[in-house]
Amino acid sequence: MTSHAKAVVIGGGVVGCSVLYHLAKAGWTDIMLIERSELTSGSSWHAAGGFHTLNGDPNVAKLQAYTVQLYKEIEEISGQSCSLHLTGGVMMADTRERMDFLRLAHAKGRYLGMDTELITPSEAKAMFPLMDETNFVGAMWDPVEGHLDPSGTTHAYAKAARKLGAEIVLRNRVVELTQEVDGTWNVVTEQGTVKAEHVVNCGGLWAREIGRMVGVELPVLAMEHMYLLTEPMPEVEEFNTSTGREMIGVMDFKGEIYTRQERNGILLGTYEKACKPWSPVNTPWDFGHELLQPDIDRIAPSLEIGFKHFPGIEKAGIKQIINGPFTFALDGNPLVGPVQGLTNFWCACAVMAGFSQGGGVGLALSNWMVHGDPGFDVWGMDVARFGEWATLRYTNAKVRENYSRRFSIRFPNEELPAARPAQTTPVYDTMLANNAVMGDSWGLETPLWFAPKGSEPKDIVSFHRSNDFGPIGEEVRATREKVGVTEIANFAKYEVSGPGAEDFLNRLMTNRMPKTGRIVLTPMLNEFGRLIGDFTIAKAGDDRFMIWGSSAAQKYHMRWFEKHLPKDGPRGSQVRIHRFDQTLVGLSIAGPKSRDLLQKLVDVDISTKAFRFMDFREMAVGGAPCMVNRITYTGDLGYEIWMAPAYQRLVYKAIKEAGEEFGLVDFGMRALLSMRLEKNFPTWFRELRPIYGPFEGSMDRFIKLEKNDFIGREAAAKEQAAGPKLRRVSFIVDAADADVMGDEPIWAKVGGKDYGTVERPHGYGAPRFDAGGKEVRGSKAAEGASAVRGIVDGDWRVVGWVTSGGYAHYVEKSMAQGYVPAALAENESAGLFEIEILGHRRPARINVEPPFDPSGEKMRT
């Protein structure tokens, strides 16, 4: 074992070996993998070995597609067989709602380069004759599904990495991690200490323990997972002989089961409701190549449905039941990337679908480590997406919930109950008393909408307009015509101060910093000119700035801020960043009567001239010390009022009492999002995210290229000079009883005219590499996109995708935002566009000017 390495990867499962391989392909050969036992000694060896490309997050789906494409290449490089079986698979729907979900997934696949197809139950039965098709209403076929040999695949990654110079050390447990002042890591093992510049936690079942070595409690939990193998079945052998094919894989929502052929029998696994955590507090270091005691009674309800749906399997004898632990994060996606607050400590863990995602995780993380950027939009896997509220007990409750819902549909208006409430504001009980339906916003309870008095405050979950539709409309109309109040504690809040604060922010942000007492809106870019942030910034005083942004991105943005803190100079060394989280909370009032209301609560002049649009001021509101911004996300006259939690009840009570004469109403986040649609305002992580440039995102007026050499300026200038390929646009949609939810394809009647690839961009801008180490500029899927089934229909072609939308209640229009080729972005012609909603293409028209107050007069009044 060498004593020094550029990077040490801890853990020899499929993910650790993939990371090692991709680092070596990217040019790092002074690298080492350390495994406490043998390769695949954790979860990899007993995995069912299935793989697929579909994922609820399109960006994760792209990385899964890369993983599947990679297998034949690593076989060639390593000389090790992965035993790849590309059988294809179907997802079976037994209800209208589940069929709606499949229609959504199929539509999303149109611009992801996926060749999925909606088929009948009879067509599915022809490929898997063991099913009773009368139990189902439809299915979706995906040809890029199958299974492989987990051990062989892991060793293929390892052998390929070794060929490129990487070192693998087995039977050597890491016992301690310490860091020197210069940032070098001491990786202390049973066989000695390795000095490393970077450490990667690929610990799998032991990822939590590795994290604790550096003071981090990662939100991961291992769950027991069972699948069974049948004895050889004559029906399987007969199908193989008569067709010359292997049986396909099948996923059954109702039974929460998956099946595939295994030799001459069937493998059947389940994600049962009565799930069971494994070692919920500590993972024993001596656990190895062993299985857990099967508990068939626990999965009996799923098996009962499975045998009804697939009667051909019920008659088969059970040869073996496999029960082994797999690690999960709260939402089922991996934890990948650098850990905020630490230097060169990386995670690639909680990859429960290791043979679907392991290759993509390895590629993204190696890009991140080598080039400073993952090369893909990996927010759905970023370790920074969870906050401090994701404690051990919170994690255990949420992972159990996620596991039990693995094959359940998540409706767009569905709020999951486990581990809630975790964080609450001082007015939480008051909101509940006002009949609020609460939602989880980065661990914080936030009012979504207010149910009428006497009715149960509860969402009826649906893909269609639901029971919140009428009440949200009332909230919007009352706010637009009179005045409304909403809680905004779920915004991110920061203070940047010190003599170097303004220089620091000017370097990070694209817009000029405001004068004292004024506010600016500004994006933030990475080095490749991609949108990584969108902020409201107020200059509160000399060398002091208040910043507001997206709550879900707090650790993501803090990681970026800390990375770029100036290191040298008397001014640069005096930049301080403070993240308030819930030590600063807020309320917003909006509507034409909001000034009259606020004037009753303050002792200063807030007339139009005295307190202008985009002004900031510290003042007492209702007797409480507050900070007030004259701005609101509704796009109307309004104010954001910020205070310490101790004063929130006082301020809210004062607003409610003073607002009675003006017809004040409470409104929730869904009404706020409805009103922002009417103004064509974008949202962070939907319209604005790191796959888009600032001019593609239609953020032109906030990009001051002439101000200074801010991060990403050169790339942004190139984008402006060349002209953006895409543009964010707003649509009015002729919807029926369902509005867009996001990720729907946008069709255009363009005849034979080619507006470029329809594939959704996936890169942050960093170089990307294929399995052979060659830099790639586009994906294989994009190269053949026009030939993919379903993106061309006569004169119609899929030209873009929806990012978000819903119903704009005041203007009474269904609206959507999305991206289309720039050449089409200002074409407001009727009959040019259609948006596919739940399998039905609905007429849509670009609306360049916002339908509510297009001149912006109301918010400036």
Side-chain angles (χ1 to χ4, degrees):
M1 182 177 73
T2 56
S3 59
H4 292 77
K6 189 171 185 66
V8 169
V9 177
I10 303 174
V14 65
V15 176
C17 292
S18 172
V19 169
L20 188 74
Y21 165 71
H22 282 93
L23 284 173
K25 281 294 179 185
W28 284 13
T29 54
D30 180 19
I31 53 178
M32 176 188 300
L33 182 148
I34 300 177
E35 161 58 40
R36 63 176 191 95
S37 182
E38 306 292 338
L39 296 182
T40 77
S41 290
S43 298
S44 295
W45 74 273
H46 59 74
F51 60 81
H52 57 275
T53 57
L54 288 169
N55 188 284
D57 185 322
N59 304 290
V60 176
K62 292 299 298 183
L63 290 175
Q64 292 183 187
Y66 166 81
T67 300
V68 176
Q69 293 168 2
L70 181 64
Y71 287 131
K72 289 187 178 180
E73 297 179 42
I74 64 168
E75 284 183 326
E76 294 174 1
I77 294 169
S78 67
Q80 168 73 48
S81 172
C82 296
S83 295
L84 198 69
H85 296 252
L86 192 64
T87 62
V90 291
M91 302 171 76
M92 305 301 300
D94 66 310
T95 64
R96 172 198 172 193
E97 288 77 17
R98 291 186 173 112
M99 199 62 216
D100 280 344
F101 173 80
L102 293 185
R103 290 189 182 99
L104 284 169
H106 173 60
K108 188 184 302 182
R110 293 192 195 279
Y111 62 78
L112 290 176
M114 296 180 181
D115 196 12
T116 61
E117 183 180 0
L118 298 178
I119 63 175
T120 66
S122 296
E123 289 174 305
K125 180 181 175 67
M127 294 181 281
F128 194 83
L130 303 176
M131 75 169 64
D132 178 358
E133 75 276 21
T134 64
N135 292 295
F136 304 104
V137 300
M140 185 174 73
W141 161 253
D142 181 5
V144 190
E145 288 191 19
H147 59 97
L148 45 67
D149 171 29
S151 180
T153 301
T154 304
H155 281 87
Y157 279 122
K159 288 180 179 179
R162 277 191 174 120
K163 283 189 173 182
L164 293 171
E167 181 179 0
I168 296 178
V169 180
L170 303 179
R171 298 174 291 281
N172 184 30
R173 182 165 71 88
V174 173
V175 296
E176 186 181 12
L177 293 169
T178 63
Q179 195 168 29
E180 304 290 348
V181 175
D182 65 359
T184 303
W185 286 97
N186 298 307
V187 183
V188 184
T189 78
E190 293 170 331
Q191 298 177 16
T193 298
V194 180
K195 293 278 189 181
E197 185 179 336
H198 298 264
V199 171
V200 187
N201 179 3
C202 297
L205 295 175
W206 296 268
R208 185 176 50 189
E209 278 65 32
I210 299 299
R212 288 170 180 168
M213 291 181 184
V214 296
V216 174
E217 187 68 35
L218 291 170
V220 297
L221 174 68
M223 300 293 293
E224 294 191 14
H225 180 67
M226 278 181 278
Y227 62 88
L228 59 87
L229 302 173
T230 73
E231 299 285 356
M233 297 174 60
E235 299 94 326
V236 174
E237 296 182 44
E238 193 281 327
F239 178 86
N240 297 158
T241 301
S242 63
T243 66
R245 301 194 312 269
E246 191 174 351
M247 281 191 178
I248 64 171
V250 180
M251 195 187 88
D252 176 11
F253 287 116
K254 175 68 172 178
E256 296 161 332
I257 58 177
Y258 59 91
T259 70
R260 66 165 174 83
Q261 183 174 334
E262 174 69 14
R263 298 185 184 275
N264 294 326
I266 292 294
L267 180 151
L268 185 151
T270 177
Y271 287 88
E272 70 280 5
K273 296 293 185 188
C275 56
K276 183 179 179 181
W278 179 76
S279 293
V281 178
N282 297 289
T283 305
W285 287 106
D286 59 355
F287 184 79
H289 272 81
E290 53 199 279
L291 294 172
L292 308 176
Q293 184 66 34
D295 183 2
I296 199 167
D297 290 339
R298 201 169 77 241
I299 64 174
S302 293
L303 293 180
E304 183 177 347
I305 297 172
F307 292 152
K308 177 185 175 185
H309 288 185
F310 306 96
I313 301 177
E314 184 177 17
K315 298 176 290 184
I318 297 176
K319 181 172 67 175
Q320 187 179 11
I321 299 176
I322 306 294
N323 186 19
F326 289 87
T327 55
F328 294 76
L330 312 183
D331 56 6
N333 274 342
L335 300 174
V336 180
V339 175
Q340 187 251 319
L342 298 176
T343 304
N344 291 341
F345 184 84
W346 307 80
C347 279
C349 52
V351 190
M352 59 77 50
F355 295 97
S356 293
Q357 300 173 339
V361 167
L363 176 65
L365 189 65
S366 65
N367 273 342
W368 215 334
M369 295 174 68
V370 175
H371 304 289
D373 185 285
F376 298 85
D377 185 350
V378 297
W379 171 250
M381 302 191 297
D382 197 321
V383 67
R385 71 187 185 275
F386 299 118
E388 293 82 1
W389 39 269
T391 61
L392 181 65
R393 291 191 179 188
Y394 182 98
T395 296
N396 289 352
K398 273 296 180 188
V399 169
R400 288 197 299 270
E401 178 183 63
N402 177 269
Y403 182 98
S404 69
R405 292 177 49 88
R406 179 73 180 164
F407 287 165
S408 298
I409 294 170
R410 179 73 182 269
F411 291 93
N413 64 333
E414 186 173 12
E415 294 287 329
L416 303 181
R420 294 176 56 197
Q423 297 181 89
T424 59
T425 66
V427 296
Y428 171 70
D429 292 338
T430 304
M431 294 293 135
L432 291 181
N434 290 347
N435 235 26
V437 177
M438 306 298 286
D440 178 357
S441 177
W442 211 59
L444 176 70
E445 295 297 311
T446 300
L448 299 176
W449 61 284
F450 292 83
K453 297 297 181 184
S455 65
E456 184 181 7
K458 181 181 179 180
D459 277 315
I460 297 175
V461 296
S462 176
F463 288 115
H464 301 261
R465 293 173 187 164
S466 190
N467 62 320
D468 63 347
F469 188 80
I472 291 173
E474 292 299 319
E475 293 171 22
V476 169
R477 285 185 287 273
T479 301
R480 287 283 193 228
E481 295 169 3
K482 297 177 183 177
V483 60
V485 59
T486 191
E487 190 175 20
I488 51 173
N490 60 328
F491 288 22
K493 293 87 60 176
Y494 315 87
E495 182 182 69
V496 176
S497 60
E502 187 156 355
D503 291 342
F504 171 69
L505 290 174
N506 263 318
R507 171 70 176 146
L508 260 61
M509 305 297 172
T510 66
N511 207 346
R512 297 184 183 90
M513 288 304 100
K515 297 178 180 179
T516 301
R518 294 289 288 165
I519 297 169
V520 297
L521 306 178
T522 179
M524 182 170 71
L525 308 179
N526 63 15
E527 295 95 330
F528 309 100
R530 298 293 171 178
L531 289 161
I532 60 168
D534 182 42
F535 300 97
T536 300
I537 300 182
K539 188 170 185 180
D542 292 341
D543 303 327
R544 175 172 167 250
F545 294 83
M546 292 296 302
I547 304 177
W548 292 269
S550 169
S551 62
Q554 289 184 59
K555 300 197 83 169
Y556 172 83
H557 285 143
M558 281 297 294
R559 186 173 64 193
W560 185 261
F561 295 157
E562 290 169 355
K563 177 181 178 180
H564 292 282
L565 277 172
K567 303 295 191 297
D568 303 311
R571 289 177 59 81
S573 62
Q574 298 178 51
V575 177
R576 298 177 295 277
I577 304 175
H578 174 67
R579 176 167 71 95
F580 288 96
D581 203 5
Q582 293 311 309
T583 62
L584 185 68
V585 295
L587 299 163
S588 177
I589 57 174
K593 298 294 184 181
S594 58
R595 179 185 287 112
D596 297 335
L597 192 165
L598 184 61
Q599 187 64 78
K600 295 185 65 174
L601 302 178
V602 300
D603 301 314
V604 295
D605 181 8
I606 59 166
S607 63
T608 302
K609 291 183 178 179
F611 196 38
R612 300 166 296 165
F613 177 60
M614 302 289 278
D615 268 359
F616 165 90
R617 189 179 301 179
E618 296 184 74
M619 63 180 79
V621 179
C626 296
M627 294 179 287
V628 182
N629 295 334
R630 206 198 128 177
I631 191 173
T632 170
Y633 197 40
T634 66
D636 212 328
L637 173 65
Y639 306 85
E640 293 175 352
I641 307 168
W642 302 95
M643 71 289 294
Y647 296 109
Q648 192 187 30
R649 290 175 66 92
L650 172 65
V651 176
Y652 178 74
K653 183 173 182 289
I655 289 172
K656 291 287 283 187
E657 290 176 351
E660 284 187 18
E661 70 175 275
F662 303 110
L664 177 74
V665 298
D666 287 290
F667 68 95
M669 283 295 115
R670 290 181 185 167
L672 181 64
L673 292 175
S674 172
M675 287 185 274
R676 69 95 186 176
L677 285 174
E678 299 174 337
K679 290 292 294 178
N680 293 358
F681 288 167
T683 58
W684 179 243
F685 282 127
R686 296 302 303 180
E687 284 73 46
L688 309 178
R689 58 189 301 158
I691 53 178
Y692 306 119
F695 298 100
E696 289 179 330
S698 300
M699 304 295 283
D700 310 40
R701 67 185 185 277
F702 306 118
I703 313 300
K704 309 300 184 186
L705 294 173
E706 71 283 358
K707 78 179 181 80
N708 72 311
D709 187 23
F710 57 84
I711 295 171
R713 180 192 175 280
E714 183 178 350
K718 288 180 179 179
E719 181 194 355
Q720 184 191 49
K725 295 180 180 179
L726 302 170
R727 270 289 197 176
R728 175 177 64 87
V729 295
S730 183
F731 289 93
I732 292 176
V733 187
D734 181 14
D737 67 337
D739 304 295
V740 302
M741 290 159 271
D743 297 323
E744 293 89 350
I746 300 169
W747 295 77
K749 192 174 184 180
V750 295
K753 194 165 184 179
D754 186 3
Y755 286 96
T757 177
V758 300
E759 188 199 29
R760 176 183 175 130
H762 56 273
Y764 280 27
R768 298 183 294 281
F769 298 88
D770 64 16
K774 294 175 65 177
E775 186 175 346
V776 293
R777 297 293 181 181
S779 78
K780 294 178 181 178
E783 292 168 7
S786 62
V788 175
R789 186 201 331 260
I791 69 166
V792 177
D793 177 15
D795 289 339
W796 291 86
R797 175 184 173 91
V798 173
V799 297
W801 50 91
V802 170
T803 50
S804 70
Y807 194 79
H809 286 268
Y810 194 67
V811 298
E812 298 183 334
K813 304 288 184 184
S814 183
M815 296 191 69
Q817 289 192 36
Y819 281 83
V820 299
L824 293 173
E826 295 187 4
N827 192 328
E828 297 183 284
S829 301
L832 177 61
F833 293 102
E834 292 179 346
I835 294 178
E836 189 170 344
I837 302 176
L838 298 178
H840 301 283
R841 283 158 52 179
R842 309 295 304 182
R845 178 175 57 81
I846 285 180
N847 202 66
V848 174
E849 294 294 330
F852 176 79
D853 188 29
S855 67
E857 181 182 353
K858 292 182 181 295
M859 60 185 178
R860 291 178 171 83
T861 300

